[in-house]
Amino acid sequence: MEITPPSGLLGPLLLARGAIDRSAQLRGDSRWCERVWTDPATRVVVVGGGQAPVRRSGQEVRLVTVSPAEAPAGERYLLGVDAEGVAYFAVTASPEETAERTVAPLALAALPEGRPVVTGLRQVAALLGDLDAGLLVYAVALEAWHATHEFCPRCGSRTEVRAGGHMRVCPRDGSQHFPRVDPAVIMLVHDGEDRCLLARGPQWQPGRFSVLAGFVEPGESLEHAVVREVAEEVGVRVTDPRYLGSQPWPFPRSLMLGFVARAVSTEFVLDPEEIAEARWFGRAELRCALKSGEVRLPSEVSIARGLIETWYGGPLAGDW
Ligand SMILES: [Zn+2]
């Protein structure tokens, strides 16, 4: 079964792709899981520390997968089944010595021909096709959750992996724990005319700008979170938040929910803990600032870039 998610109003997002059936009904079927684990056609993504091997062949970059017999002896998570009936698993390996040092995206030319390179999702997502990008996002997200949920939050016992890697169970009190995502709103704020609001975080280099974002709090709707976060971070009041689309951001477990909202005030009162600088940009002004290098935007892997380009009405140059 081919799974093509709706691209939404933001258009295609690089981390919101996936071409496998997640096959949730098979996760608890241990006989099926063991049978496909003996099938050499089954593919295993070996993920460690959020990284996995990829290989370039000409203009194509693919995830390097192995058969179950070749996989290391780490925890095993069922990812699903592709259109040809091939089962996919992720297996955790110890993080490579080559830990992620940069979040800059890789260019095709930076990858050697024919030799596996261990790299991270943010670096390589734009070079992968839908199937491989979806598998890597999924494997990285599951690995990140399991890595921080080894122990029962009730009694502290070491929990055990069940349901094909989609649940952990405490052997002492029987409590069940499921992979979680943290919802975060990310919003393009505009002034109802030609300008949008971009801001720079205190840790970012001068010239780096993006849209505002923040985690949804307990007991709060997404729309309230949009209004609250903008008010807290830059002191601007917004109205009419509208949902545009989402993508997972498994660093370690966010789900970014993209919104557009209209400002009803434009004066800034910055929270210095969160924001070092905020500016209103008209479209022509932003285009010129990107061209001159005065301003740079988050990479195309981010939903932030998608929100800004949707507002602008087309692609923009100038990555972080
Ligand atoms: Zn327990």
Side-chain angles (χ1 to χ4, degrees), residues 14-15 47 49-51 100 102-103 119-125 133 136-145 148 180-182 184 215 247-256 299 301-303:
L14 287 171
L15 300 188
V47 60
Q51 299 192 309
E100 192 172 337
T102 171
V103 295
T119 186
L121 189 54
R122 278 176 284 199
Q123 285 89 327
V124 81
L136 187 54
V137 174
Y138 197 2
V140 166
L142 277 174
E143 186 213 11
W145 181 78
T148 53
R180 301 290 183 199
V181 293
D182 295 336
F215 288 109
Q247 80 166 356
W249 192 249
F251 313 109
R253 58 177 164 273
S254 298
L255 174 64
M256 306 306 297
S299 87
V301 175
S302 67
I303 190 173

Side-chain angles (χ1 to χ4, degrees), residues 151-167:
F151 299 97
C152 176
R154 293 188 183 178
C155 74
S157 298
R158 184 178 288 277
T159 52
E160 296 169 355
V161 178
R162 298 282 170 76
H166 294 265
M167 178 169 70

